[in-house]
Amino acid sequence: MSVEVEDLVLPEALEKARAHAAEAGWPHAGGVTPPVAWQLVQQGKAVLVDVRSGEERKFVGHVPESLHVAWATGTALTRNPRFVRELEARLAKDGGKDAVVLLLCRSGKRSALAAEAAAKAGFSQVYNVLEGFEGEIDAQQHRGGADGWRFHGLPWVQD
């Protein structure tokens, strides 16, 4: 999928996300909910990048046709020191550092850190997918009961 950067007019959802991020002092372009993220991907207006570990994608599931660049690796979630370089390489055909990028993790926390690192490295349109793939943990120590990609019934597959 290629996102044409030179012709890009940000959708209203991304403009709102940018305004909220600026108001909140976030170091990246902002955050969008999973349904908004899926709509932007389906319209060809953004690229979805899963930043979870390979193990999480394999055993928990992932969004079909999403790109994968791990923010952290292994079961210990050791920070990937090559994250920014790998992200740039994966997005080369989609506009590189100017591509509209939506980063997805388990709950939206690691993807926010990844978005911050990407923004500091010069990515101008990097957004966090709020709620993440599985959502926030609840009082019973479960995920997916109140929010997250899967909770919203969005497409996903499991190996």
Side-chain angles (χ1 to χ4, degrees):
M1 168 200 337
S2 178
V3 178
E4 296 299 323
V5 176
E6 56 274 357
D7 298 326
L8 186 66
V9 174
L10 287 179
E12 183 179 349
L14 294 182
E15 288 291 355
K16 286 181 180 179
R18 277 185 107 48
H20 181 263
E23 186 178 293
W26 291 352
H28 53 81
V32 296
T33 64
V36 169
W38 181 241
Q39 180 180 32
L40 292 167
V41 169
Q42 289 296 282
Q43 294 171 350
K45 295 183 179 181
V47 178
L48 183 65
V49 178
D50 191 331
V51 301
R52 294 174 302 150
S53 71
E55 293 85 356
E56 286 175 288
R57 283 178 53 93
K58 178 162 183 61
F59 297 115
V60 179
H62 61 274
V63 179
E65 300 183 31
S66 59
L67 299 179
H68 179 234
V69 180
W71 170 250
T73 61
T75 56
L77 294 178
T78 303
R79 169 79 166 77
N80 176 5
R82 299 173 308 281
F83 173 77
V84 170
R85 288 191 310 267
E86 291 174 10
L87 183 64
E88 189 171 6
R90 292 300 307 265
L91 295 171
K93 67 178 175 41
D94 295 304
K97 288 186 175 183
D98 293 319
V100 176
V101 183
L102 308 174
L103 301 181
L104 177 70
C105 72
R106 180 178 58 198
S107 66
K109 291 176 180 64
R110 278 179 285 159
S111 51
L113 294 172
E116 179 178 350
K120 286 180 180 174
F123 286 82
S124 59
Q125 298 290 331
V126 64
Y127 298 83
N128 179 28
V129 178
L130 305 169
E131 304 174 19
F133 186 75
E134 295 182 75
E136 199 58 56
I137 198 160
D138 65 18
Q140 289 76 41
Q141 303 299 301
H142 299 146
R143 293 183 187 276
D147 60 4
W149 189 275
R150 294 188 315 183
F151 172 80
H152 289 287
L154 299 170
W156 65 282
V157 295
Q158 192 165 11
D159 293 340

